[in-house]
Amino acid sequence: LQSIPSSRVTVIAEKFAFDTTSAGAAGIWGPYKLSETPEADVHRWSSETFNHLASLFYGPEADASGVSHVACHWISTQPEAPPFWSDIVFNFSAIEPRHLAMLPRKYVSGYVHSNFVCEGRYYLQWLTRGIKARGGVLHQARLSSLSDLFTQQQQLLPGVNSVKPFDAIVNCSGLGAADLMKDKQVYPIRGQVMRVRAPWVTQCYMAGEHYIIPNRGYVVLGGTGQVGDWSTLSSLADTEHIWRGCCEIMPSLQAA
């Protein structure tokens, strides 16, 4: 819509904004839970996303789009080489030994860099407003397959040319591709988080499966990485696991 103002765009989704998992995500930038995705693809996509977030933060839309700037610390229980994406971020460096000494003794290495948080609860609303302002249409519906765009054309795409209803389909179904496209290679990696009020925590810490990520008004604690788990329900055992791990990294969270 920005690059081709004369285009007509319809976004069809089963759920929008606060009904999506993105709305609850902490939103820190960083390659994470990559599975078998080729490294070259991850690097290219990650670079494009980082640059997009940087342009939002340093532009006039930072507040509206939910983008914030944070220092991000990645700490490890064993020596690690710099990650393949270290050239993407700003101010990448090893964490100083005296800084590591402030953390639990099991953490022996780490690195820190400038990073961005993009909170989905704000970003999705910002995108929605932008689509509508440029004449785009949002339609809530569940598709069983892409053929529904033809068999249910009048309901899904009212007012369009029935002979050639569209020029392109952009499939952004993510995990939903398992059902929409019958793609058996798509599987979930379940993540659970908890939100606490801890305004003194202003920087991000990533430590294996646990992380501490400041958001606006809350700090997000995580997490889990349960491969193949489709559950969207909270687990008390996971909550306790997250709480113990994050409080070990930063004991002051016990006052949250």
Side-chain angles (χ1 to χ4, degrees):
L1 288 170
Q2 283 181 303
S3 59
I4 311 176
S6 61
S7 63
R8 295 183 58 182
V9 174
T10 300
V11 180
I12 302 173
E14 181 182 8
K15 298 178 180 179
F16 285 101
F18 292 109
D19 292 326
T20 66
T21 53
S22 294
I28 192 73
W29 175 94
Y32 187 68
K33 305 295 183 187
L34 304 179
S35 299
E36 304 301 321
T37 308
E39 193 171 283
D41 288 338
V42 174
H43 188 279
R44 176 167 55 87
W45 298 332
S46 299
S47 179
E48 291 173 355
T49 302
F50 186 88
N51 291 336
H52 171 64
L53 297 179
S55 67
L56 285 175
F57 179 76
Y58 287 106
E61 297 288 336
D63 180 40
S65 62
V67 178
S68 304
H69 182 266
V70 297
C72 190
H73 305 74
W74 303 71
I75 54 179
S76 175
T77 56
Q78 57 188 5
E80 289 189 357
F84 68 89
W85 46 261
S86 61
D87 62 312
I88 296 175
V89 299
F90 303 144
N91 308 314
F92 183 92
S93 65
I95 296 178
E96 295 182 18
R98 64 194 181 109
H99 188 172
L100 275 174
M102 299 287 180
L103 299 167
R105 293 182 61 184
K106 67 179 182 179
Y107 295 111
V108 299
S109 70
Y111 42 88
V112 59
H113 61 87
S114 297
N115 205 354
F116 299 100
V117 170
C118 179
E119 297 183 45
R121 54 185 175 150
Y122 299 115
Y123 187 70
L124 291 174
Q125 294 183 82
W126 177 75
L127 286 177
T128 298
R129 291 194 298 269
I131 291 171
K132 290 181 176 180
R134 295 174 176 85
V137 176
L138 276 70
H139 185 88
Q140 188 164 3
R142 177 182 174 85
L143 303 182
S144 59
S145 70
L146 293 183
S147 62
D148 289 351
L149 295 174
F150 297 94
T151 59
Q152 302 178 35
Q153 180 181 321
Q154 291 304 314
Q155 297 94 323
L156 298 174
L157 302 166
V160 303
N161 188 312
S162 59
V163 177
K164 189 180 181 182
F166 43 78
D167 296 300
I169 298 173
V170 180
N171 183 356
C172 311
S173 53
L175 184 59
D179 185 40
L180 179 67
M181 306 303 295
K182 309 301 184 280
D183 188 343
K184 302 306 179 184
Q185 292 185 307
V186 176
Y187 57 86
I189 301 180
R190 179 180 173 275
Q192 180 171 316
V193 300
M194 57 189 299
R195 292 178 178 269
V196 300
R197 292 193 181 276
W200 60 91
V201 179
T202 60
Q203 300 187 7
C204 169
Y205 289 83
M206 309 290 289
E209 61 183 347
H210 290 103
Y211 50 79
I212 300 168
I213 303 172
N215 276 191
R216 299 178 186 181
Y218 298 92
V219 174
V220 180
L221 310 180
T224 62
Q226 297 153 347
V227 177
D229 190 338
W230 289 86
S231 176
T232 57
L233 301 177
S234 295
S235 160
L236 179 59
D238 288 339
T239 298
E240 293 173 344
H241 172 73
I242 292 168
W243 182 247
R244 285 195 304 269
C246 291
C247 285
E248 180 186 17
I249 299 167
M250 189 169 293
S252 67
L253 286 171
Q254 297 179 62

